[in-house]
Amino acid sequence: EQIQRLREVECDYAQGYYFAKPMAVEEFEELWRSQESRSAIPSSKAPRKEDEMPGLLVVEEDAGYREKLWEAFAGEYQVLEASDTENALSCVRSGGAAGVSAVILSMTLPEDGAAAVMNALRQEPAYWELPVLAAIPDGESPYSLPLAMEADDYYCKDHPIAVLQRRLRGLIRAAASQKRENNLQEQANRDQLTGLLNRRGLQS
């Protein structure tokens, strides 16, 4: 439970007996070398059936990079791909993004396509709380792309895929944690029998 909570608050690094006992430097170096060759996705995680996997919407105009993302996430998510703004908007407005846990959105879609997709996501009640990870061009500063700062997080496309995987998982965990907190808050503000606002709910 402690590890899960740390992940939900986006703690990227931790140490403790949960991972390994205290050890000499030589033992640690050997352990570190053995870890380096492991996949970014824990091998202990049992493969899930496709219909049990959460969805991931990838909106990316570069076919080569879409393929790279598909290879990185296909075993963990049902990857939905949109190669342009029109396809992405069609997916969102038709309800095709139902079951999606997050969106990876390219900031380089032509003709302000990223803004159009972001607006569509924020206007659809079903997707209001859906976390959006902005993909910015190599060497670009997010501060020069205001839309990237409006997303829930951002990453540079030349970063290692393992960094993207970690960020995406952290983003999804944080969104799930926030949803649970909102649900608990809603329950605390309503009468259990009638569903009407209680004193706490009326005062807030």
Side-chain angles (χ1 to χ4, degrees):
E1 290 87 357
Q2 293 171 358
I3 281 295
Q4 181 62 28
R5 180 58 184 155
L6 288 172
R7 286 173 173 159
E8 287 175 354
V9 297
E10 301 185 60
C11 176
D12 291 332
Y13 300 97
Q15 67 180 39
Y17 206 94
Y18 174 83
F19 301 103
K21 64 179 182 177
M23 63 185 73
V25 172
E26 296 78 14
E27 291 179 69
F28 176 76
E29 289 175 346
E30 182 60 34
L31 177 64
W32 182 265
R33 281 192 290 271
S34 71
Q35 295 283 340
E36 282 186 326
S37 61
R38 293 189 181 183
S39 166
I41 300 175
S43 57
S44 60
K45 186 179 289 186
R48 290 176 291 181
K49 296 178 182 177
E50 187 171 336
D51 58 356
E52 296 175 348
M53 294 180 186
L56 173 64
L57 176 59
V58 174
V59 185
E60 171 61 54
E61 72 277 18
D62 184 332
Y65 196 70
R66 277 201 318 277
E67 179 68 20
K68 187 176 180 179
L69 294 180
W70 188 90
E71 290 175 356
F73 293 109
E76 194 173 357
Y77 300 91
Q78 291 188 58
V79 181
L80 306 176
E81 299 180 36
S83 58
D84 54 41
T85 306
E86 184 178 346
N87 286 335
L89 292 176
S90 175
C91 180
V92 171
R93 290 168 180 163
S94 68
V100 165
S101 297
V103 178
I104 296 178
L105 176 60
S106 171
M107 294 290 101
T108 53
L109 288 174
E111 301 178 1
D112 293 327
V117 175
M118 183 82 83
N119 288 338
L121 289 168
R122 297 311 184 220
Q123 289 172 7
E124 293 288 338
Y127 307 130
W128 280 345
E129 299 176 347
L130 193 64
V132 176
L133 185 60
I136 64 176
D138 300 349
E140 189 75 51
S141 168
Y143 300 105
S144 64
L145 298 168
L147 187 63
M149 302 302 292
E150 293 179 20
D152 299 281
D153 199 359
Y154 58 85
Y155 78 99
C156 188
K157 291 183 182 181
D158 64 351
H159 284 174
I161 284 294
V163 173
L164 170 58
Q165 289 172 321
R166 189 181 68 209
R167 284 202 174 195
L168 184 66
R169 292 187 195 116
L171 201 59
I172 291 174
R173 283 193 296 264
S177 179
Q178 184 63 52
K179 187 174 182 179
R180 286 196 299 272
E181 187 173 324
N182 292 344
N183 287 340
L184 288 172
Q185 185 68 46
E186 179 68 14
Q187 291 174 23
N189 288 340
R190 292 190 177 275
D191 179 77
Q192 292 295 315
L193 293 176
T194 65
L196 298 174
L197 289 172
N198 57 22
R199 182 181 298 175
R200 181 185 310 206
L202 292 169
Q203 289 176 344
S204 62

